[in-house]
Amino acid sequence: MELLAALKSLLASCFHAPSLFLFFITFILLVDFMKRRKGGSSYPPGPPSWPFVGNMLQVDFHNLPRSFDKLNKKFGNVFSFQMGWNNQVVVNGFDAVKEVLVAKSEDTADRPPVPFLENLGFRKDCEGVVMARYGRGWKDIRRFTISTLRNFGLGKKTLEERVSQEAICLCEAFETQDGCPFDPHFLINNAVSNVICSIVFGDRFEYDDEKFQSLLHMSEEGLKTGTGLLPQVVMLFPVLLRIPFLERKVFRPQREIFSFMRESIKEHQETFDPATTRDFIDAFLVEMEKTKDNPSSIFSLDNLILTINDLFGAGTETTSTTLRWGLLYMILYPDIQSQVHKEIDTVIGRGRKPTMEDQINLPFTNAVIHEIQRCGDLVPLSLPHMTCRDTEIQGFLIPKGVEIFPNLTSVLKDETVWERPHQFYPEHFLDAEKNFVKRDAFMPFSAGHRVCLGEQLARMELFFFFTTLFQRFTFTIPKNQARPRDDPVYIFLHCPHAYQICAELR
């Protein structure tokens, strides 16, 4: 009895409230330390991290490229960073990024998981084509997507004609402004989006279609709400999405976009005929029908929604924002615009539409389009990669499962590669004889296994829209307006500040 009493007394003294609290705190800090432990002396250097949050409070999520530029200068071209318990490595400069994306492409081709998709109602194994994990499923859906895009005209005259016609529609919309100041933002968005919409949904949308305008606004709003500290915290701790106002604040645009996609798919299903494939959605539905008895098939309704969302987003925002940068640079550098006019007049004239065959004979115009992409620096941090096996980058050991951010800004503005990296200088893409030359460090579409699958379409669109617009118009800064800003706004993409132009018929 005395022994039992003594044991009870000992347990009580060990587990009274203060001792239990101290034990709990020690245990939690130990778990945190183990989670944040890095890969040893061969792991890339980086700023010291804080418990639980890592380095999240040490950077500006409203301008990540600037924060990473400061860390690059302090820690070198390959440095480490932590988001909560997630180990990340940022790679900078042409040589290091080329090693990651090209030489070690197989090692770094994975993507980090996207847990919030489950909170939006998607199956765990469905991630679309852009953020799908590296493996058989991703290869199959990417192969299917590229093949289907080709079936609907990619690389063929039929799609060239469609893009050319849409460029003419955009010119007509500009012409209705009668030379008065206007913001070209959503007219350009609508025109560019119509190209991918004609492939995905089987139809284009009029520029005054309210429902479609709402979708375009939601797409841009999604980029804005996805930028900042709060979205990062929510994505790290998806349990927070159970708080209703947080879920609405962060993911409302995505829910509305997905709703549009579901409605479009439903309309297709109601009129679906396997013998007549009208567009990408129909082609995917055909594959779903073929594999309906295979429970592990990647061709599911959830993957269809996510894949057409990927195509719509990538096929709209990137090219349209690049064209907005293009118009901005041309009104800021009227002498360069004059040279573009002169070359287009000489090679194409004003009596016929541009064709892709003209591109080789427009070296200066082609150089200007490439310099717009380089200087606009659209996707500064690319999309995150993840190592699928231990690998070595620039002498540093990167363990399996570490996220890697290829800093494309550091490549497109690499001072060891470009003569005038921080100026708009089309001569970057011209040789001494004024012939067009493509530079190895020109990587706006990324490179390697995860290179943008819409690169060919984007290049075609940029050429047709740019040459058609400048064949017909001279663009100027409106009178009595200040010179527009040429520094970017960071909302995952580098976007220009809002500006107005005057489009005067030539």
Side-chain angles (χ1 to χ4, degrees):
M1 290 292 292
E2 291 180 2
L3 182 60
L4 183 59
L7 184 58
K8 287 182 177 179
S9 176
L10 179 62
L11 290 173
S13 64
C14 289
F15 290 97
H16 69 287
S19 298
L20 188 61
F21 177 75
L22 182 61
F23 173 79
F24 177 75
I25 292 298
T26 303
F27 176 76
I28 290 296
L29 288 175
L30 181 61
V31 170
D32 171 72
F33 173 77
M34 295 299 291
K35 286 283 190 180
R36 292 187 297 112
R37 187 172 57 176
K38 298 183 180 180
S41 59
S42 59
Y43 192 72
S49 60
W50 295 356
F52 306 108
V53 297
N55 301 112
M56 290 180 65
L57 303 180
Q58 297 163 260
V59 296
D60 179 8
F61 284 97
H62 291 286
N63 200 333
L64 266 181
R66 185 183 300 167
S67 293
F68 284 170
D69 182 55
K70 293 177 181 178
L71 292 171
N72 178 14
K73 291 175 181 176
K74 186 174 182 179
F75 295 103
N77 280 343
V78 183
F79 66 84
S80 59
F81 183 79
Q82 287 187 314
M83 289 280 289
W85 291 337
N86 290 344
N87 286 324
Q88 300 177 338
V89 168
V90 182
V91 181
N92 307 270
F94 172 55
D95 290 338
V97 171
K98 183 180 179 182
E99 183 177 353
V100 167
L101 296 180
V102 181
K104 301 294 177 64
S105 184
E106 186 74 25
D107 296 349
T108 63
D110 205 0
R111 293 281 199 220
V114 190
F116 71 84
L117 288 176
E118 288 184 67
N119 295 84
L120 294 177
F122 292 96
R123 280 171 31 191
K124 189 174 182 178
D125 60 339
C126 294
E127 298 157 318
V129 63
V130 172
M131 292 303 295
R133 302 297 301 273
Y134 185 62
R136 172 75 180 274
W138 168 74
K139 290 178 181 178
D140 287 348
I141 201 165
R142 183 181 173 93
R143 188 183 304 112
F144 166 81
T145 300
I146 292 173
S147 173
T148 304
L149 290 177
R150 286 174 180 159
N151 290 341
F152 285 102
L154 186 60
K156 301 176 182 177
K157 285 289 184 183
T158 52
L159 187 56
E160 287 184 23
E161 181 60 33
R162 196 180 307 173
V163 177
S164 177
Q165 189 57 44
E166 195 62 51
I168 292 172
C169 291
L170 180 61
C171 286
E172 291 171 352
F174 277 18
E175 193 172 344
T176 63
Q177 306 298 320
D178 294 323
C180 298
F182 70 101
D183 184 341
H185 185 163
F186 283 103
L187 286 176
I188 292 176
N189 263 28
N190 209 143
V192 171
S193 185
N194 269 340
V195 176
I196 194 65
C197 285
S198 67
I199 297 172
V200 172
F201 304 115
D203 204 358
R204 65 183 296 278
F205 296 87
E206 295 299 329
Y207 295 178
D208 58 357
D209 186 305
E210 292 184 6
K211 184 178 179 181
F212 192 64
Q213 286 297 318
S214 175
L215 178 65
L216 293 176
H217 281 278
M218 281 297 104
S219 180
E220 183 165 311
E221 189 64 26
L223 290 174
K224 292 178 181 177
T225 58
T227 305
L229 178 61
L230 180 60
Q232 305 305 318
V233 172
V234 168
M235 284 188 277
L236 277 175
F237 307 105
V239 68
L240 295 175
L241 289 173
R242 296 178 183 177
I243 304 173
F245 83 89
L246 272 182
E247 196 274 344
R248 287 194 299 270
K249 181 176 179 63
V250 176
F251 293 117
R252 181 181 64 86
Q254 281 79 4
R255 282 199 179 278
E256 295 196 21
I257 292 170
F258 289 143
S259 177
F260 178 92
M261 304 300 173
R262 286 189 176 93
E263 185 178 329
S264 297
I265 293 169
K266 183 179 178 182
E267 291 173 358
H268 276 69
Q269 289 174 320
E270 291 171 350
T271 57
F272 177 60
D273 179 2
T276 307
T277 307
R278 299 163 293 185
D279 49 38
F280 185 92
I281 292 177
D282 274 357
F284 203 101
L285 291 175
V286 168
E287 292 301 312
M288 285 175 59
E289 185 66 23
K290 289 179 182 177
T291 60
K292 63 182 179 181
D293 296 326
N294 180 3
S296 62
S297 171
I298 60 166
F299 294 99
S300 64
L301 184 60
D302 280 358
N303 247 341
L304 173 55
I305 295 168
L306 292 171
T307 301
I308 63 175
N309 176 69
D310 288 343
L311 292 174
F312 172 79
T316 298
E317 291 295 340
T318 51
T319 304
S320 63
T321 304
T322 303
L323 286 169
R324 286 164 55 207
W325 277 117
L327 288 178
L328 176 62
Y329 286 129
M330 291 302 94
I331 62 175
L332 292 177
Y333 300 96
D335 55 328
I336 294 177
Q337 183 179 173
S338 294
Q339 292 182 67
V340 169
H341 283 148
K342 182 178 179 180
E343 187 177 65
I344 290 174
D345 288 349
T346 300
V347 175
I348 303 175
R350 304 189 194 179
R352 69 170 177 86
K353 298 183 294 185
T355 67
M356 287 305 295
E357 285 76 15
D358 293 318
Q359 189 175 40
I360 194 172
N361 298 315
L362 296 168
F364 185 77
T365 302
N366 199 16
V368 168
I369 293 172
H370 280 68
E371 182 67 355
I372 290 165
Q373 292 177 271
R374 187 200 70 82
C375 218
D377 179 22
L378 196 66
V379 191
L381 297 176
S382 185
L383 288 168
H385 290 238
M386 192 169 77
T387 51
C388 45
R389 60 176 70 95
D390 291 355
T391 191
E392 189 176 285
I393 303 296
Q394 299 284 290
F396 293 104
L397 177 64
I398 315 296
K400 177 182 177 180
V402 172
E403 293 180 34
I404 296 182
F405 285 89
N407 187 346
L408 297 185
T409 295
S410 70
V411 178
L412 297 175
K413 307 290 175 67
D414 191 327
E415 295 179 357
T416 68
V417 174
W418 307 98
E419 294 81 1
R420 302 182 186 180
H422 304 293
Q423 296 180 28
F424 187 79
Y425 186 64
E427 285 75 7
H428 283 138
F429 297 94
L430 296 172
D431 62 17
E433 288 73 40
K434 302 301 181 183
N435 298 310
F436 174 80
V437 289
K438 185 179 175 182
R439 306 280 286 270
D440 289 340
F442 181 71
M443 290 185 178
F445 299 101
S446 191
H449 282 26
R450 291 284 186 165
V451 67
C452 174
L453 60 81
E455 178 178 355
Q456 184 180 357
L457 176 59
R459 290 185 185 281
M460 183 200 305
E461 289 179 298
L462 288 173
F463 177 77
F464 273 114
F465 280 111
F466 189 85
T467 54
T468 305
L469 286 169
F470 285 90
Q471 182 186 43
R472 189 174 299 196
F473 297 102
T474 298
F475 296 97
T476 58
I477 300 172
K479 293 180 180 178
N480 303 319
Q481 286 195 20
R483 177 184 170 91
R485 298 172 61 172
D486 62 357
D487 59 312
V489 177
Y490 176 71
I491 50 171
F492 175 72
L493 303 179
H494 267 159
C495 300
H497 291 267
Y499 64 90
Q500 290 191 322
I501 57 173
C502 288
E504 302 169 5
L505 280 171
R506 299 179 63 216

